[in-house]
Amino acid sequence: MIDVPDIPARIFQTNSKRIRMVIGSTNYHHMSGKSLFEMERECAISWNMTGNPDPSMFCGNEFLDSTVAFPNGTVVSLIHTEYPGNRYDNCPSNPASSLGYPTCWTVTIGLAISYDWGSTWQHIRKPPHHLVFAVPYPYESQNLAYGWGDPSNMILSPRDGYYYVAMWNRNTIGEQKSGICIARTRHLLDPTSWRGWDGSNFTSILHNSPYHRNNKYLTNYICEPIKNFSSECTIFGIVWSVYIEQFVATIGCGTPDKSKSFYISTSNDFIEWTDMQAVYGRDDMDEDVKKKVTSFNYPSLWDPRSPTLYHDRNYNTIGQKAYLLWTSLGHSVSSDGRNLWATPLQFEKRNNTVTKVATRVK
């Protein structure tokens, strides 16, 4: 079981103005409060991974992620679902795979639902029919880590009424390239309704099980990764900026030359993105913060005024100022462990293009 911040912070507001946050664990304890800085953590477990050892059921190590709340208290969430074959006795004992990841590992995305503002959760359909995104290839222990995972938040576009999400495939597998896929739907409660980008339109079918499908029409199940991003980079969050009138993505990268900072990129349509711009990194940290950080991940943007000013209870809208939420990995669980940080930012623009992002703004 994992009980540490292991996905980006996902935040929504209830009808009683209570803030609720999902911060990612395979056994998740519900968190709520009057503000993000006054959160209470309940002892009861709100979500516990299924831990099914059968990869064709898509419910192994499950992390709640990407919530969307509705006025009636219904909340839907994507589920980042890892299948570590070495943990499920499904990884041959040989030098190439005995240590597990990055071999003996695949990932898919499912769908969960709550009817009580996120206090309790269940699969939206009985597994494996809760599946939303999978590459068209079954688990193979000898392959490098692959599959659609690490989704961004699901954001409702004010321009066309679709919900959009970004997700990441770590390594090329068959005809599916590595990189970031964009998908969209108008029906969040239907896991089969999403369609991925095929290079010219949103037609790719990504919910079909690779264990029960004839791959004769394989190209129908391939998503074309968007350009301008290294395959080692992931979009962890997307918000709509009323200040620059564009979508803003927060990005983390795994390559040595890019892992020392978080980045942003902007877009009008989720497909064409600007070059990544470094926004906050180790060199920007105060010394008392830096000494607790060995590495950092999971960036997202959050504007506490979003429900009041922009009528967005899911905090997917920001103004000129916002907080960069991110997770630090410390030296050990018993000392500085993992921590969630909120760093204030201010955007500056010219012709609706971000020209500068200042940190630690009051």
Side-chain angles (χ1 to χ4, degrees), residues 33-347:
K34 293 185 293 184
S35 79
L36 181 66
F37 306 107
E38 301 176 85
M39 303 296 287
E40 298 174 355
R41 186 175 186 270
E42 297 179 3
C43 294
I45 294 176
S46 175
W47 168 263
N48 205 352
M49 72 177 197
T50 305
N52 192 316
D54 182 354
S56 69
M57 297 302 288
F58 312 107
C59 51
N61 291 10
E62 300 170 293
F63 298 75
L64 283 181
D65 200 340
S66 307
T67 55
V68 174
F70 297 95
N72 65 354
T74 297
V75 189
V76 294
S77 176
L78 294 177
I79 313 168
H80 168 88
T81 307
E82 299 176 0
Y83 184 80
N86 60 319
R87 300 290 181 88
Y88 291 109
D89 197 25
N90 194 0
C91 186
S93 297
N94 60 62
S97 61
S98 58
L99 295 179
Y101 189 90
T103 57
C104 294
W105 194 93
T106 188
V107 62
T108 57
I109 298 174
L111 190 64
I113 192 166
S114 169
Y115 298 103
D116 54 11
W117 292 112
S119 294
T120 58
W121 293 87
Q122 64 192 56
H123 294 111
I124 198 162
R125 295 179 184 173
K126 184 178 179 180
H129 305 293
H130 71 303
L131 180 66
V132 183
F133 302 116
V135 296
Y137 301 96
Y139 169 73
E140 293 288 349
S141 61
Q142 71 272 19
N143 292 323
L144 289 176
Y146 64 94
W148 294 123
D150 299 277
S152 70
N153 54 305
M154 297 180 286
I155 177 172
L156 178 63
S157 171
R159 293 182 165 175
D160 60 15
Y162 280 94
Y163 285 91
Y164 287 82
V165 71
M167 53 193 160
W168 182 44
N169 176 33
R170 288 163 167 76
N171 294 288
T172 296
I173 176 74
E175 294 187 31
Q176 181 57 67
K177 302 173 186 175
S178 59
I180 298 170
C181 171
I182 300 293
R184 71 180 188 182
T185 185
R186 279 200 172 108
H187 308 288
L188 283 185
L189 300 185
D190 182 0
T192 70
S193 65
W194 289 86
R195 294 295 180 268
W197 180 249
D198 66 5
S200 60
N201 208 339
F202 288 93
T203 64
S204 294
I205 301 169
L206 304 175
H207 66 272
N208 284 356
S209 169
Y211 300 90
H212 308 110
R213 179 178 60 227
N214 184 336
N215 282 346
K216 179 179 179 181
Y217 304 105
L218 186 62
T219 55
N220 294 342
Y221 312 121
I222 299 296
C223 184
E224 181 65 25
I226 56 176
K227 301 175 181 179
N228 258 23
F229 298 105
S230 162
S231 61
E232 294 292 329
C233 296
T234 312
I235 292 178
F236 285 109
I238 305 175
V239 293
W240 171 254
S241 169
V242 297
Y243 176 65
I244 62 170
E245 297 183 307
Q246 293 188 59
F247 299 101
V248 182
T250 41
I251 303 153
C253 301
T255 54
D257 62 322
K258 289 187 170 61
S259 63
K260 297 178 181 179
S261 182
F262 295 129
Y263 300 85
I264 63 165
S265 177
T266 61
S267 175
N268 288 310
D269 60 4
F270 294 96
I271 301 302
E272 300 293 333
W273 293 86
T274 58
D275 292 339
M276 297 192 310
Q277 175 183 343
V279 62
Y280 182 77
R282 178 172 292 277
D283 292 342
D284 302 303
M285 296 177 187
D286 293 331
E287 287 302 318
D288 62 331
V289 174
K290 190 182 299 184
K291 66 183 181 182
K292 300 177 181 179
V293 179
T294 61
S295 61
F296 44 93
N297 208 350
Y298 310 127
S300 62
L301 291 171
W302 175 73
D303 187 337
R305 305 167 302 169
S306 190
T308 303
L309 293 185
Y310 313 125
H311 310 290
D312 183 355
R313 71 169 67 242
N314 292 294
Y315 293 94
N316 290 330
T317 310
I318 64 170
Q320 184 177 8
K321 294 182 180 181
Y323 286 94
L324 177 71
L325 305 181
W326 56 283
T327 298
S328 67
L329 284 69
H331 297 81
S332 72
V333 175
S334 59
S335 59
D336 42 22
R338 293 194 183 191
N339 293 283
L340 178 64
W341 302 86
T343 301
L345 305 179
Q346 179 169 305
F347 292 81

